[in-house]
Amino acid sequence: MVPNQFSFANKGITMAIIDFLDKAFHQESIKGNKVLIVMWDFSNAFCTMSHKSIMDIAKRFGICGNMEILLQYYLDQSSSMVKMSDVNGQYISDKFKTNRGCQQGQIGSDLIFAMVNDQILPRPINDEFLHRTKYVDDFADIISSKSFENLTESLNSNCDLLLKQATSTGLKLNADKTQVMALNLSETEKQNLGYETKNNPKYLGFRLGFKGKKQKLTGNPGAIDLINQLNAAVRIISSLRTVNNSLFSRLEAATVLVWSILNNLCLVYVYSDAEHWTKVCIAIRKVLKAAGLDQRAPSSDIYRVTLKLHPEQIAIRLV
């Protein structure tokens, strides 16, 4: 498969976002190009894939013999029933094969989807930079050029191309949910783009935004989202103090809660500014303080880890 697939071991969501943002920052800040970040959306992606297309594509990957038979059995699990009702009651039809889709979240479904969309690739029109990052059914394109005309031509051409490629495999592109973020474009250019631009789109759960007069790309909105989650955790742990007298138990709950929130901490560390990073560190300590750090500390590993593990260390470990 092409290397822009990120839904596999050691190439998860975090690495997909890093790959995507590093290339966007390079085109925007280092090269100073006009940049479009385009996030494509598919309608019920896992439910619309054609079984015939899946089998044809699987054969091109060399799947044959028993593996081909097993794949067909796997796809045959996709079935449906129709529920009807009238004045006499409700009726449910017998099961029938849909010949489309597979269950999202089921083991094997992500591999099938990655295999089907492997050759759904962008195509440069002129000399523009063009890169696509894929995480299962989340596609994000970076289109970069010195010329606004090249930028718009590439965007429109690849939108049409993606629509044709997706339709050929049974996927349905949802153009209404497509998000476009414009970097280094004037207000006039944004208005002439033909697409509504977004100021704070999310990619794989990490919110992006602009900073400063030059409207530079930043991860500060992602930091704000993280701070809001940590502040909500403060209220949870503070409420716990009214019903739980064990400091050890409360520290354990606070630590678990903090770790459950920190999925994007390494991204905030790299892509947000120092001011927002400091606020994140303070928010983490507030959660731990809410558990009762002003009381006498128990001699426990979890307490020592809670006190000594700094946010910077956590961010590096998460990467």
Side-chain angles (χ1 to χ4, degrees), residues 273-291:
D273 58 30
E275 178 184 353
H276 282 78
W277 174 251
T278 300
K279 290 179 179 179
V280 168
C281 297
I282 292 171
I284 291 174
R285 295 186 181 103
K286 281 182 178 179
V287 179
L288 306 179
K289 187 176 180 180

Side-chain angles (χ1 to χ4, degrees), residues 224-240 254 257-258 260-261 283-284 286-287 290:
I224 293 172
D225 288 344
L226 188 59
I227 291 167
N228 290 337
Q229 293 179 61
L230 289 166
N231 288 340
V234 169
R235 294 190 289 271
I236 294 172
I237 299 301
S238 296
S239 300
L240 187 62
L257 196 54
V258 167
S260 70
I261 294 171
I284 291 174
K286 281 182 178 179
V287 179

Side-chain angles (χ1 to χ4, degrees), residues 201-219:
K202 270 188 176 183
Y203 179 56
L204 298 176
F206 187 67
R207 193 179 300 278
L208 306 173
F210 295 104
K211 180 187 178 184
K213 293 182 179 179
K214 293 186 178 181
Q215 294 284 285
K216 293 296 184 181
L217 183 64
T218 179

Side-chain angles (χ1 to χ4, degrees), residues 262-278:
L262 297 186
N263 292 333
N264 290 331
L265 184 67
C266 55
L267 300 171
V268 172
Y269 183 56
V270 175
Y271 298 111
S272 65
D273 58 30
E275 178 184 353
H276 282 78
W277 174 251
T278 300

Side-chain angles (χ1 to χ4, degrees), residues 18-145:
I18 290 173
D19 173 82
F20 169 70
L21 288 181
D22 277 358
K23 289 180 171 62
F25 272 107
H26 181 76
Q27 293 297 319
E28 175 218 28
S29 298
I30 306 301
K31 291 198 169 184
N33 288 342
K34 300 178 186 295
V35 181
L36 293 178
I37 293 175
V38 189
M39 301 173 195
W40 308 102
D41 182 83
F42 294 96
S43 297
N44 298 318
F46 282 86
C47 301
T48 59
M49 292 183 293
S50 164
H51 287 182
K52 183 180 183 306
S53 296
I54 292 173
M55 296 306 298
D56 290 343
I57 293 170
K59 290 175 185 176
R60 293 205 295 271
F61 276 97
I63 294 177
C64 58
N66 289 336
M67 287 299 296
E68 183 182 353
I69 295 171
L70 287 172
L71 178 58
Q72 187 64 62
Y73 281 155
Y74 181 89
L75 296 175
D76 286 342
Q77 296 180 88
S78 299
S79 60
S80 184
M81 295 186 296
V82 177
K83 183 177 180 180
M84 301 164 285
S85 63
D86 58 21
V87 293
N88 296 315
Q90 295 183 342
Y91 313 90
I92 299 178
S93 72
D94 294 332
K95 287 184 179 180
F96 57 89
K97 291 183 178 180
T98 61
N99 296 319
R100 285 186 177 274
C102 51
Q103 295 182 15
Q104 185 170 357
Q106 188 175 12
I107 295 175
S109 295
D110 289 359
L111 174 61
I112 289 173
F113 195 88
M115 186 169 59
V116 167
N117 73 52
D118 188 62
Q119 289 304 307
I120 299 181
L121 299 170
R123 186 180 300 161
I125 301 301
N126 295 302
D127 59 348
E128 79 276 17
F129 173 85
L130 192 53
H131 175 76
R132 175 168 294 163
T133 301
K134 301 178 185 177
Y135 187 86
V136 195
D137 58 334
D138 288 293
F139 291 9
D141 285 359
I142 299 171
I143 309 173
S144 169
S145 176

